[in-house]
Amino acid sequence: MKLGLFTSGYQRNPLEDCFLDAKRFGYDYIELWGGRPHAFAPDLASGDIRGLNRLIEKYEMPVLGYTPEHNAYPYNFMIGSEAQREDAVNYLKLSLDMAKKMGADYMLVSPAHAGYLATYEEIWDRMTRTLRELTEYAEKVGVRLVVEPLTPYESNAFKSANDLLELFRRIDSPFLVGMCDIVPPFVQHESIMAYLEKLGGKMYHMHIIDGEQGTDSHIMPGEGSIPMPELFQELKDFGYEGTATLELVLGYINEPRLYARRAVRNVRAMMEQAGW
């Protein structure tokens, strides 16, 4: 199981710090957050992609995943007018182009909140149209589209393993795959391991982070309420061999370097205890 550093928490630091630290701390890859000031897709397309690729080469640290910011201002393909949806789709298509140019294996999307007045029918119609269009573009570009369920604190549209199964029933493509951020199932009393059993070969990626009931907070691995040593034992016994990004986000933005070091140290120790 390869461990990745997520760069969102480094947004007040130079982008190069992410690559330097991933190398220093023993991460296997980077999952690149696509927002300003670091890797916003229009900026990459305007020339910043060259600097990014130089960092990849300099530190011999691949960007396996690209996660463009699209759950808040100004992009959310689940809410607003049709023109706003189309604008978000065009932005994500450009993001797929940039993912290809940086050598990423996958791009991650997550259907965000659809608004309080949206019905299930409206939610699924909009989500299916959007993700079908993005999947068809991903097939042309040659980058997998990984879809992430969120917590109910973040989204009323897409929150569970069953939502992924329904999406795969509606859109059949080898370029459309799923993942599990372990916080959403934990706070909803859903089984984390059920994702792996239900999704089978469609289970492509994980976000590993600790959590607590009643909040979507992403906490340092081993310092929250999820029984993580036992989780790593279960993942080992199951035979999971995919990628797992340690998704420290804004809660650690004041000292990302200290916490990125602690996160991978904690996880490596739990993996070793589990027999990895």
Side-chain angles (χ1 to χ4, degrees):
M1 184 169 67
K2 294 182 178 180
L3 301 182
L5 182 148
F6 190 50
T7 66
S8 172
Y10 277 78
Q11 60 190 266
R12 294 176 182 171
N13 288 51
L15 179 60
E16 187 164 2
D17 285 357
C18 304
F19 288 85
L20 174 62
D21 290 357
K23 188 75 170 182
R24 290 196 301 144
F25 302 157
Y27 286 86
D28 300 305
Y29 68 93
I30 278 175
E31 183 174 320
L32 184 65
W33 174 71
R36 281 178 169 160
H38 285 170
F40 184 50
D43 294 338
L44 294 177
S46 295
D48 285 0
I49 189 69
R50 292 188 293 272
L52 172 61
N53 284 333
R54 282 194 294 269
L55 291 175
I56 293 171
E57 182 178 358
K58 177 180 178 180
Y59 291 98
E60 300 178 318
M61 181 57 58
V63 174
L64 293 188
Y66 181 46
T67 302
E69 181 58 61
H70 64 285
N71 285 340
Y73 183 85
Y75 300 108
N76 173 1
F77 61 74
M78 288 306 302
I79 198 168
S81 67
E82 177 62 15
Q84 290 171 1
R85 188 196 73 85
E86 291 176 356
D87 186 42
V89 168
N90 289 333
Y91 160 69
L92 290 172
K93 286 180 177 179
L94 177 64
S95 298
L96 280 164
D97 290 335
M98 294 303 102
K100 181 68 172 182
K101 288 190 175 183
M102 68 182 73
D105 174 63
Y106 66 85
M107 189 182 88
L108 191 151
V109 296
S110 45
H113 208 287
Y116 295 122
L117 298 184
T119 65
Y120 283 130
E121 182 178 1
E122 291 167 339
I123 287 170
W124 275 98
D125 175 71
R126 183 167 181 145
M127 184 162 48
T128 303
R129 285 190 296 118
T130 300
L131 291 177
R132 180 174 287 116
E133 188 173 351
L134 290 174
T135 299
E136 290 172 353
Y137 196 78
E139 291 173 346
K140 295 176 183 177
V141 173
V143 174
R144 288 179 180 84
L145 195 67
V146 174
V147 186
E148 176 188 21
L150 300 174
T151 70
Y153 311 108
E154 302 166 289
S155 176
N156 62 348
F158 202 77
K159 300 171 289 184
S160 69
N162 282 341
D163 286 340
L164 279 167
L165 290 177
E166 176 62 20
L167 178 65
F168 299 147
R169 186 187 69 80
R170 292 169 179 244
I171 304 172
D172 182 15
S173 170
F175 280 84
L176 183 68
V177 291
M179 64 163 288
C180 177
D181 178 320
I182 66 176
V183 170
F186 180 71
V187 300
Q188 295 177 88
H189 304 283
E190 183 183 13
S191 167
I192 295 169
M193 294 304 298
Y195 270 73
L196 284 80
E197 296 192 29
K198 286 184 173 182
L199 299 183
K202 286 284 194 178
M203 174 67 186
Y204 198 74
H205 182 50
M206 296 189 77
H207 279 170
I208 297 289
I209 199 71
D210 220 330
E212 292 180 343
Q213 293 294 343
T215 175
D216 65 348
S217 295
H218 282 37
I219 300 168
M220 179 65 54
E223 299 179 12
S225 300
I226 298 176
M228 297 197 74
E230 292 78 10
L231 173 62
F232 283 111
Q233 290 174 335
E234 287 297 301
L235 291 172
K236 174 67 165 56
D237 291 346
F238 188 88
Y240 179 73
E241 296 180 348
T243 49
T245 296
L246 308 189
E247 197 197 20
L248 301 183
V249 284
L250 301 185
Y252 300 95
I253 196 171
N254 61 313
E255 291 284 7
R257 313 188 83 163
L258 306 185
Y259 291 109
R261 183 192 291 269
R262 181 191 288 184
V264 73
R265 181 190 66 198
N266 287 359
V267 169
R268 292 286 187 202
M270 287 185 281
M271 289 177 66
E272 183 178 354
Q273 182 184 358
W276 290 82

